[in-house]
Amino acid sequence: VVIALGGNALGNSPQEQLELVKNTAKHIVDMIADGVNVVVSHGNGPQVGMINNAFAYASANDGKTPEMPFPEAGAMSQGYIGYQLSQAILNELKRRDIMRSSVALITQTVVDANDPAFQDPTKPVGEFYPPERAEVLRRENPSWVLREDAGRGFRRYVPSPRPLEIVEEAGLKTLLASGLHLIAGGGGGIPVFRTEGGYEGVDAVVDKDLTSCLLAKRIKSDLFVISTAVSNVAIHFGTPEQENISRMTVAEAMACVEAGYFAPGSMLPKVLAAVDFVRATDKEAIITSPENVRAAVVEGKGTHIVP
Protein backbone atom coordinates (compact mmCIF):
# COMPACT_ATOMS: atom_id res chain seq x y z
CA VAL A 1 0.00 0.00 0.00
CA VAL A 2 1.25 3.46 -0.92
CA ILE A 3 0.14 6.09 1.60
CA ALA A 4 0.54 9.75 0.58
CA LEU A 5 0.54 12.09 3.59
CA GLY A 6 -0.43 15.72 3.02
CA GLY A 7 2.15 18.37 3.92
CA ASN A 8 -0.56 20.54 5.52
CA ALA A 9 -1.50 17.61 7.78
CA LEU A 10 2.04 17.47 9.17
CA GLY A 11 1.86 20.65 11.24
CA ASN A 12 3.34 24.13 11.05
CA SER A 13 6.72 23.53 12.69
CA PRO A 14 9.21 20.67 13.14
CA GLN A 15 8.16 20.38 16.78
CA GLU A 16 4.45 20.17 15.99
CA GLN A 17 5.16 17.81 13.12
CA LEU A 18 7.15 15.45 15.35
CA GLU A 19 4.15 15.03 17.64
CA LEU A 20 1.75 14.56 14.73
CA VAL A 21 3.88 11.93 12.99
CA LYS A 22 4.08 9.92 16.21
CA ASN A 23 0.31 9.53 16.03
CA THR A 24 0.39 8.90 12.28
CA ALA A 25 3.04 6.20 12.80
CA LYS A 26 0.67 4.28 15.08
CA HIS A 27 -1.88 3.97 12.29
CA ILE A 28 0.79 3.03 9.75
CA VAL A 29 2.21 0.37 12.06
CA ASP A 30 -1.32 -0.96 12.63
CA MET A 31 -1.27 -1.78 8.92
CA ILE A 32 2.23 -3.24 9.11
CA ALA A 33 1.03 -5.46 11.96
CA ASP A 34 -1.74 -6.63 9.61
CA GLY A 35 0.96 -7.82 7.19
CA VAL A 36 0.88 -4.86 4.81
CA ASN A 37 4.09 -3.69 3.13
CA VAL A 38 3.89 0.10 3.38
CA VAL A 39 5.42 2.85 1.28
CA VAL A 40 4.87 6.35 2.68
CA SER A 41 5.16 9.51 0.62
CA HIS A 42 4.45 12.98 1.92
CA GLY A 43 3.75 16.54 0.91
CA ASN A 44 6.11 19.40 1.70
CA GLY A 45 4.31 22.57 0.61
CA PRO A 46 4.39 24.33 3.99
CA GLN A 47 7.81 22.92 4.86
CA VAL A 48 9.65 23.74 1.63
CA GLY A 49 8.14 27.23 1.72
CA MET A 50 9.30 27.67 5.31
CA ILE A 51 12.84 26.60 4.43
CA ASN A 52 12.97 28.80 1.34
CA ASN A 53 11.53 31.81 3.16
CA ALA A 54 13.96 31.40 6.06
CA PHE A 55 16.98 31.38 3.77
CA ALA A 56 15.61 34.33 1.77
CA TYR A 57 15.14 36.34 4.98
CA ALA A 58 18.59 35.44 6.30
CA SER A 59 20.22 36.23 2.97
CA ALA A 60 18.53 39.65 2.80
CA ASN A 61 19.37 40.56 6.40
CA ASP A 62 22.80 39.16 7.30
CA GLY A 63 24.66 39.37 4.00
CA LYS A 64 26.29 35.98 4.57
CA THR A 65 23.60 33.35 4.12
CA PRO A 66 23.03 32.32 0.49
CA GLU A 67 19.52 32.07 -0.90
CA MET A 68 18.41 28.46 -1.21
CA PRO A 69 17.06 27.20 -4.58
CA PHE A 70 13.87 25.16 -4.51
CA PRO A 71 15.56 21.84 -5.43
CA GLU A 72 17.87 22.10 -2.42
CA ALA A 73 15.05 23.32 -0.18
CA GLY A 74 13.02 20.33 -1.38
CA ALA A 75 15.87 17.98 -0.50
CA MET A 76 16.10 19.52 2.98
CA SER A 77 12.37 19.04 3.52
CA GLN A 78 12.58 15.43 2.33
CA GLY A 79 15.42 14.88 4.76
CA TYR A 80 13.85 16.21 7.93
CA ILE A 81 10.31 14.99 7.24
CA GLY A 82 11.66 11.58 6.23
CA TYR A 83 13.81 11.46 9.35
CA GLN A 84 10.86 12.18 11.62
CA LEU A 85 8.53 9.74 9.86
CA SER A 86 11.12 6.96 9.79
CA GLN A 87 12.02 7.49 13.44
CA ALA A 88 8.38 7.50 14.52
CA ILE A 89 7.66 4.30 12.59
CA LEU A 90 10.80 2.60 13.92
CA ASN A 91 9.95 3.57 17.50
CA GLU A 92 6.40 2.26 17.15
CA LEU A 93 7.64 -0.99 15.57
CA LYS A 94 10.09 -1.42 18.45
CA ARG A 95 7.38 -0.67 21.02
CA ARG A 96 5.32 -3.53 19.59
CA ASP A 97 8.31 -5.89 19.20
CA ILE A 98 7.85 -6.03 15.43
CA MET A 99 11.22 -6.87 13.86
CA ARG A 100 10.95 -4.74 10.72
CA SER A 101 12.68 -1.57 9.64
CA SER A 102 12.05 1.54 7.56
CA VAL A 103 14.26 3.80 5.50
CA ALA A 104 13.77 7.31 4.09
CA LEU A 105 15.10 7.80 0.57
CA ILE A 106 15.87 11.15 -1.05
CA THR A 107 13.96 10.95 -4.33
CA GLN A 108 14.27 12.88 -7.62
CA THR A 109 11.47 13.22 -10.16
CA VAL A 110 12.04 13.89 -13.86
CA VAL A 111 9.88 16.65 -15.35
CA ASP A 112 9.62 18.14 -18.86
CA ALA A 113 11.26 21.53 -19.45
CA ASN A 114 8.43 22.31 -21.89
CA ASP A 115 5.68 21.54 -19.39
CA PRO A 116 3.12 24.39 -19.55
CA ALA A 117 3.14 24.51 -15.74
CA PHE A 118 6.24 26.68 -15.93
CA GLN A 119 4.11 29.40 -17.53
CA ASP A 120 1.32 29.16 -14.93
CA PRO A 121 2.42 28.51 -11.31
CA THR A 122 -0.33 26.58 -9.48
CA LYS A 123 1.33 24.93 -6.47
CA PRO A 124 0.91 26.70 -3.09
CA VAL A 125 3.95 26.60 -0.81
CA GLY A 126 4.77 28.10 2.56
CA GLU A 127 2.49 29.66 5.13
CA PHE A 128 -0.86 31.42 4.72
CA TYR A 129 -0.74 35.24 4.69
CA PRO A 130 -3.48 37.79 5.42
CA PRO A 131 -4.20 40.16 2.49
CA GLU A 132 -2.16 43.05 3.89
CA ARG A 133 0.94 40.85 4.38
CA ALA A 134 0.52 39.39 0.90
CA GLU A 135 0.56 42.89 -0.57
CA VAL A 136 3.83 43.69 1.22
CA LEU A 137 5.38 40.44 -0.05
CA ARG A 138 4.34 41.27 -3.62
CA ARG A 139 6.19 44.59 -3.41
CA GLU A 140 9.27 43.02 -1.81
CA ASN A 141 9.36 40.03 -4.20
CA PRO A 142 8.15 41.11 -7.67
CA SER A 143 8.75 37.65 -9.14
CA TRP A 144 6.49 35.94 -6.59
CA VAL A 145 2.98 34.81 -7.51
CA LEU A 146 0.63 35.12 -4.51
CA ARG A 147 -2.99 33.99 -4.66
CA GLU A 148 -5.85 33.38 -2.27
CA ASP A 149 -6.06 29.71 -1.26
CA ALA A 150 -9.50 28.21 -0.55
CA GLY A 151 -10.56 30.98 1.82
CA ARG A 152 -7.65 30.36 4.20
CA GLY A 153 -5.43 33.28 3.20
CA PHE A 154 -2.85 34.06 0.52
CA ARG A 155 0.04 31.73 -0.34
CA ARG A 156 2.96 31.78 -2.71
CA TYR A 157 2.49 29.68 -5.86
CA VAL A 158 5.26 27.99 -7.87
CA PRO A 159 5.24 25.82 -11.04
CA SER A 160 3.99 22.27 -10.59
CA PRO A 161 5.01 20.20 -13.63
CA ARG A 162 3.77 16.64 -14.12
CA PRO A 163 6.06 13.83 -12.92
CA LEU A 164 7.38 11.63 -15.72
CA GLU A 165 9.82 9.29 -14.02
CA ILE A 166 11.23 8.52 -10.58
CA VAL A 167 15.02 8.51 -10.84
CA GLU A 168 15.51 6.10 -7.93
CA GLU A 169 12.83 3.61 -9.05
CA ALA A 170 15.18 0.62 -9.32
CA GLY A 171 16.57 1.25 -5.85
CA LEU A 172 13.07 1.63 -4.41
CA LYS A 173 12.05 -1.74 -5.81
CA THR A 174 15.19 -3.41 -4.44
CA LEU A 175 14.62 -2.00 -0.95
CA LEU A 176 10.93 -2.93 -1.05
CA ALA A 177 11.76 -6.49 -2.10
CA SER A 178 14.11 -6.77 0.87
CA GLY A 179 11.19 -6.20 3.27
CA LEU A 180 11.87 -2.59 4.24
CA HIS A 181 9.08 -0.08 4.70
CA LEU A 182 9.93 3.03 2.71
CA ILE A 183 9.49 6.77 2.94
CA ALA A 184 9.97 7.98 -0.63
CA GLY A 185 8.80 10.56 -3.14
CA GLY A 186 8.66 13.23 -0.44
CA GLY A 187 7.17 16.50 -1.65
CA GLY A 188 6.62 14.91 -5.05
CA GLY A 189 10.35 14.32 -5.37
CA ILE A 190 13.00 16.89 -6.18
CA PRO A 191 12.11 18.11 -9.69
CA VAL A 192 14.90 17.59 -12.22
CA PHE A 193 15.40 17.95 -15.97
CA ARG A 194 17.15 15.19 -17.89
CA THR A 195 19.86 16.89 -19.99
CA GLU A 196 22.78 15.75 -22.13
CA GLY A 197 25.03 16.34 -19.14
CA GLY A 198 22.78 14.44 -16.71
CA TYR A 199 20.09 15.46 -14.25
CA GLU A 200 19.68 19.10 -13.21
CA GLY A 201 17.43 20.48 -10.47
CA VAL A 202 14.73 23.01 -11.34
CA ASP A 203 12.83 25.60 -9.27
CA ALA A 204 9.43 23.96 -8.94
CA VAL A 205 7.42 21.64 -6.70
CA VAL A 206 5.98 18.46 -8.18
CA ASP A 207 2.56 17.60 -6.79
CA LYS A 208 3.13 14.80 -4.28
CA ASP A 209 -0.18 13.12 -5.07
CA LEU A 210 0.72 12.74 -8.75
CA THR A 211 4.21 11.45 -7.90
CA SER A 212 2.72 9.12 -5.28
CA CYS A 213 0.30 7.83 -7.94
CA LEU A 214 3.19 7.27 -10.35
CA LEU A 215 5.09 5.47 -7.59
CA ALA A 216 2.06 3.32 -6.73
CA LYS A 217 1.65 2.32 -10.37
CA ARG A 218 5.34 1.59 -10.91
CA ILE A 219 5.67 -0.68 -7.86
CA LYS A 220 2.28 -2.31 -8.60
CA SER A 221 0.68 -1.27 -5.33
CA ASP A 222 -2.52 -3.08 -4.35
CA LEU A 223 -4.04 0.09 -2.88
CA PHE A 224 -3.35 3.81 -3.06
CA VAL A 225 -4.26 5.93 -0.01
CA ILE A 226 -4.10 9.73 -0.01
CA SER A 227 -4.09 11.13 3.53
CA THR A 228 -5.00 14.77 4.00
CA ALA A 229 -6.36 17.17 6.62
CA VAL A 230 -10.01 16.10 6.17
CA SER A 231 -11.70 12.73 6.66
CA ASN A 232 -13.65 12.77 3.39
CA VAL A 233 -13.79 14.36 -0.01
CA ALA A 234 -16.71 16.80 -0.06
CA ILE A 235 -18.66 18.88 -2.52
CA HIS A 236 -19.55 22.48 -1.60
CA PHE A 237 -16.63 22.34 0.84
CA GLY A 238 -16.72 24.94 3.61
CA THR A 239 -20.31 25.97 2.98
CA PRO A 240 -23.58 25.11 4.78
CA GLU A 241 -24.33 22.78 1.84
CA GLN A 242 -21.14 20.72 2.34
CA GLU A 243 -21.74 17.05 1.56
CA ASN A 244 -19.17 14.42 2.45
CA ILE A 245 -18.69 11.58 -0.02
CA SER A 246 -17.99 8.02 1.13
CA ARG A 247 -17.79 6.27 -2.23
CA MET A 248 -17.70 7.30 -5.88
CA THR A 249 -16.82 5.72 -9.18
CA VAL A 250 -14.26 7.18 -11.54
CA ALA A 251 -17.11 8.52 -13.69
CA GLU A 252 -18.76 10.18 -10.67
CA ALA A 253 -15.45 11.65 -9.53
CA MET A 254 -14.78 13.15 -12.95
CA ALA A 255 -18.30 14.61 -13.08
CA CYS A 256 -17.53 16.42 -9.81
CA VAL A 257 -14.22 17.60 -11.26
CA GLU A 258 -15.94 18.98 -14.35
CA ALA A 259 -18.50 20.71 -12.14
CA GLY A 260 -15.67 22.54 -10.38
CA TYR A 261 -16.33 21.14 -6.92
CA PHE A 262 -12.65 20.64 -6.03
CA ALA A 263 -10.16 23.47 -5.51
CA PRO A 264 -6.99 23.49 -7.67
CA GLY A 265 -3.88 23.01 -5.54
CA SER A 266 -6.01 21.47 -2.78
CA MET A 267 -8.50 18.59 -3.29
CA LEU A 268 -8.45 18.60 -7.10
CA PRO A 269 -5.00 17.01 -7.57
CA LYS A 270 -5.84 14.38 -4.92
CA VAL A 271 -8.98 13.31 -6.73
CA LEU A 272 -7.22 13.33 -10.11
CA ALA A 273 -4.35 11.25 -8.75
CA ALA A 274 -6.78 8.75 -7.22
CA VAL A 275 -8.70 8.52 -10.51
CA ASP A 276 -5.44 8.04 -12.44
CA PHE A 277 -4.43 5.11 -10.20
CA VAL A 278 -7.85 3.44 -10.41
CA ARG A 279 -8.01 3.82 -14.19
CA ALA A 280 -4.49 2.45 -14.67
CA THR A 281 -4.78 -0.51 -12.28
CA ASP A 282 -8.50 -1.27 -11.93
CA LYS A 283 -7.88 -1.20 -8.17
CA GLU A 284 -9.13 1.10 -5.43
CA ALA A 285 -7.94 4.45 -4.08
CA ILE A 286 -8.91 6.09 -0.78
CA ILE A 287 -8.78 9.71 0.38
CA THR A 288 -9.01 10.32 4.13
CA SER A 289 -7.28 11.82 7.19
CA PRO A 290 -4.16 10.30 8.84
CA GLU A 291 -6.03 8.97 11.87
CA ASN A 292 -8.53 7.21 9.60
CA VAL A 293 -6.04 5.47 7.31
CA ARG A 294 -6.31 1.98 8.79
CA ALA A 295 -10.04 2.37 9.49
CA ALA A 296 -10.52 3.42 5.87
CA VAL A 297 -8.73 0.30 4.64
CA VAL A 298 -10.39 -2.10 7.10
CA GLU A 299 -13.76 -0.51 7.93
CA GLY A 300 -14.58 1.56 4.87
CA LYS A 301 -14.14 5.05 6.33
CA GLY A 302 -13.00 7.96 4.20
CA THR A 303 -13.76 8.41 0.50
CA HIS A 304 -13.29 5.33 -1.69
CA ILE A 305 -12.81 5.82 -5.42
CA VAL A 306 -13.55 2.66 -7.41
CA PRO A 307 -13.61 1.67 -11.12
Side-chain angles (χ1 to χ4, degrees):
V1 175
V2 171
I3 303 173
L5 299 175
N8 290 324
L10 293 175
N12 297 310
S13 70
Q15 295 77 19
E16 182 181 353
Q17 177 178 290
L18 184 58
E19 292 304 311
L20 288 171
V21 299
K22 287 178 182 177
N23 186 57
T24 300
K26 294 177 182 178
H27 303 294
I28 292 171
V29 174
D30 283 342
M31 297 179 68
I32 293 173
D34 289 339
V36 175
N37 206 356
V38 173
V39 178
V40 181
S41 64
H42 59 81
N44 73 342
Q47 294 82 3
V48 74
M50 175 184 67
I51 291 168
N52 193 260
N53 291 349
F55 273 92
Y57 179 86
S59 176
N61 287 276
D62 68 12
K64 299 177 182 178
T65 303
E67 289 199 27
M68 190 60 56
F70 256 96
E72 283 71 15
M76 289 180 179
S77 70
Q78 277 195 24
Y80 95 77
I81 297 171
Y83 148 69
Q84 290 189 340
L85 279 169
S86 183
Q87 184 184 80
I89 291 169
L90 286 169
N91 286 344
E92 186 64 21
L93 287 168
K94 184 177 180 180
R95 189 181 70 81
R96 303 192 197 188
D97 293 323
I98 299 175
M99 302 304 293
R100 301 291 294 276
S101 190
S102 68
V103 63
L105 187 68
I106 300 296
T107 312
Q108 301 172 82
T109 303
V110 176
V111 299
D112 186 353
N114 296 316
D115 192 305
F118 289 104
Q119 307 303 317
D120 181 25
T122 60
K123 182 64 176 177
V125 298
E127 62 185 287
F128 293 92
Y129 302 109
E132 58 275 12
R133 178 59 180 160
E135 189 57 38
V136 171
L137 289 171
R138 283 194 183 98
R139 292 196 299 268
E140 294 178 347
N141 305 277
S143 65
W144 283 22
V145 175
L146 289 116
R147 299 179 184 141
E148 199 273 336
D149 183 358
R152 295 174 291 180
F154 285 78
R155 297 179 80 184
R156 183 184 177 188
Y157 282 70
V158 297
S160 185
R162 288 191 64 83
L164 302 178
E165 176 187 333
I166 297 169
V167 175
E168 293 77 14
E169 180 182 322
L172 285 165
K173 290 179 176 177
T174 299
L175 292 168
L176 198 57
S178 72
L180 289 168
H181 301 286
L182 307 181
I183 295 100
I190 303 159
V192 296
F193 293 148
R194 188 191 296 108
T195 70
E196 292 183 0
Y199 297 111
E200 292 182 3
V202 57
D203 289 352
V205 174
V206 182
D207 186 272
K208 63 92 181 168
D209 297 310
L210 297 182
T211 297
S212 300
C213 176
L214 176 62
L215 174 62
K217 291 188 293 184
R218 295 299 300 171
I219 66 173
K220 295 180 170 59
S221 179
D222 295 303
L223 179 66
F224 178 36
V225 180
I226 299 176
S227 175
T228 186
V230 295
S231 61
N232 289 74
V233 176
I235 60 174
H236 308 300
F237 180 76
T239 72
E241 291 77 36
Q242 178 172 324
E243 180 182 342
N244 289 344
I245 301 170
S246 60
R247 182 181 179 88
M248 57 182 168
T249 64
V250 164
E252 290 168 338
M254 291 309 298
C256 289
V257 168
E258 290 167 9
Y261 286 136
F262 309 131
S266 182
M267 188 55 73
L268 179 61
K270 296 173 178 58
V271 172
L272 291 177
V275 165
D276 186 1
F277 176 79
V278 175
R279 279 177 169 167
T281 64
D282 209 33
K283 296 176 182 177
E284 185 176 323
I286 300 172
I287 302 175
T288 192
S289 56
E291 63 271 16
N292 280 328
V293 164
R294 183 175 181 273
V297 174
V298 176
E299 303 169 15
K301 289 189 176 182
T303 299
H304 294 242
I305 299 176
V306 297

